[in-house]
């Protein structure tokens, strides 16, 4: 399967714990996005990488959140001191500037539950 | 501030009928308008997309109609099938930037057999 993959698919944690999610984009895609989706809502943009550079961050990305994309390949999203309000589906998407109309391809997401 | 408003929130259609979902946007800088389909437990999948230099785009049973002056666009699903039952999201983005997608709130479509 050459699509976007995310790991883990589900994560249950206690409030105050740190969690880290991983995203592996489609191999030739140099653009990578993180979104957050809460129940009954559309995905909301969190942050964007072009290769290894983090070029844009949403105001939703508080200082408890950090994202990296070393070497421009996979990306990680870490949430420190989790809060119940962090419970959501975290989606990763990738894209290539060569694609017509900047199509973004989404992974299956990581569902986070904070108890 | 919600920049893309989507309606209806839910839609029930008989098999073979036409499903219509509407979206309106505020930011006139948006120049790319995709529709995504999402099944439970899955990530969104791109269905069809349009740029504002055309008023309509058709791919199979799916058609986007775009009205630039009204800042509105809609998805029409012809001959709706039970397998089309999913949540549909409209979205918009701006070229030349990070091109992050701004999504609508979604429409849960149920197609009855």
């Amino acid at each position: 399967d050459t699509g976007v993959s995310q790991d883990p698919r589900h994560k249950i944690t206690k409030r105050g714990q740190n969690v880290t999610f991983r995203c592996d984009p489609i191999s030739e895609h140099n653009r990578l996005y993180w979104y957050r989706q809460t129940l009954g809502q559309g995905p909301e943009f969190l942050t964007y990488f072009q290769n290894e550079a983090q070029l844009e961050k949403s105001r939703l990305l508080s200082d408890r959140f950090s994202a990296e994309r070393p070497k421009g390949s996979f990306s990680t999203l870490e949430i420190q001191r989790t809060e119940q309000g962090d419970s959501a589906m975290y989606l990763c998407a990738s894209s290539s500037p060569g694609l017509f109309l900047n199509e973004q391809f989404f992974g299956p997401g990581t569902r986070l539950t904070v108890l | 501030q919600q920049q893309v408003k989507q309606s209806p929130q839910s839609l029930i259609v008989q098999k073979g009928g036409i499903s219509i979902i509407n979206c309106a946007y505020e930011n006139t800088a948006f120049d790319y308008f995709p529709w995504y389909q999402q099944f439970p437990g899955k990530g969104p999948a791109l269905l069809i997309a349009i740029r504002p230099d055309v008023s309509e785009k058709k791919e199979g049973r799916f058609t986007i109609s775009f009205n630039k002056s009204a800042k509105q666009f809609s998805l029409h699903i012809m001959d709706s099938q039970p397998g089309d039952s999913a949540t549909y999201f409209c979205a918009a983005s701006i070229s030349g930037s990070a091109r992050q997608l701004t999504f609508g709130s979604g429409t849960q479509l149920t197609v009855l057999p």
Side-chain angles (χ1 to χ4, degrees):
Chain A
D1 188 348
T2 57
V4 178
S5 62
Q6 292 187 245
D7 184 71
R9 294 292 308 277
H10 304 273
K11 178 70 176 179
I12 299 174
T13 191
K14 293 182 179 179
R15 188 177 55 185
Q17 297 295 306
N18 300 341
V19 294
T20 300
F21 311 140
R22 176 181 171 123
C23 170
D24 286 273
I26 294 172
S27 59
E28 63 268 25
H29 288 183
N30 66 340
R31 295 172 180 244
L32 188 146
Y33 303 81
W34 285 98
Y35 292 84
R36 181 173 70 186
Q37 184 176 25
T38 53
L39 202 61
Q41 297 298 316
E44 295 175 293
F45 170 74
L46 292 178
T47 191
Y48 160 67
F49 289 85
Q50 184 169 316
N51 299 311
E52 66 277 6
Q54 187 175 19
L55 297 183
E56 192 147 339
K57 293 192 288 186
S58 162
R59 288 173 294 176
L60 292 175
L61 210 68
S62 74
D63 56 5
R64 294 185 298 106
F65 288 69
S66 63
E68 295 182 343
R69 193 184 182 195
K71 302 179 182 178
S73 55
F74 70 93
S75 175
T76 58
L77 177 68
E78 181 183 15
I79 308 174
Q80 296 183 328
R81 306 181 302 282
T82 53
E83 302 173 355
Q84 289 185 326
D86 297 331
S87 295
M89 174 80 87
Y90 289 84
L91 294 162
C92 175
S94 71
S95 178
S96 167
L99 286 175
F100 180 63
L101 297 182
N102 185 43
E103 301 167 40
Q104 292 186 25
F105 294 85
F106 282 81
T110 295
R111 180 164 295 283
L112 173 65
T113 302
V114 181
L115 302 176
Chain B
Q1 180 184 5
Q2 184 182 9
Q3 296 191 53
V4 180
K5 294 184 178 180
Q6 184 171 346
S7 64
Q9 186 175 7
S10 62
L11 180 62
I12 300 175
V13 174
Q14 292 286 340
K15 178 182 176 182
I18 302 174
S19 304
I20 302 175
I21 304 171
N22 300 299
C23 283
Y25 62 97
E26 300 168 7
N27 189 345
T28 55
F30 286 142
D31 61 358
Y32 170 62
F33 302 90
W35 284 89
Y36 280 81
Q37 178 188 56
Q38 186 175 31
F39 292 102
K42 305 289 186 182
L46 180 65
L47 199 58
I48 186 172
I50 197 170
R51 293 198 64 163
D53 51 349
V54 298
S55 60
E56 185 175 284
K57 182 175 181 180
K58 183 176 180 179
E59 289 184 1
R61 297 186 293 110
F62 301 93
T63 300
I64 299 178
S65 296
F66 187 84
N67 186 329
K68 187 174 181 178
S69 61
K71 293 188 288 185
Q72 295 176 348
F73 58 110
S74 61
L75 175 70
H76 295 235
I77 306 174
M78 312 299 289
D79 187 26
S80 299
Q81 299 296 311
D84 296 331
S85 297
T87 301
Y88 292 80
F89 294 96
C90 61
S93 71
I94 304 170
S95 296
S97 66
R99 303 183 182 180
Q100 69 266 33
L101 295 167
T102 299
F103 283 86
S105 55
T107 296
Q108 186 168 351
L109 172 66
T110 302
V111 181
L112 301 176

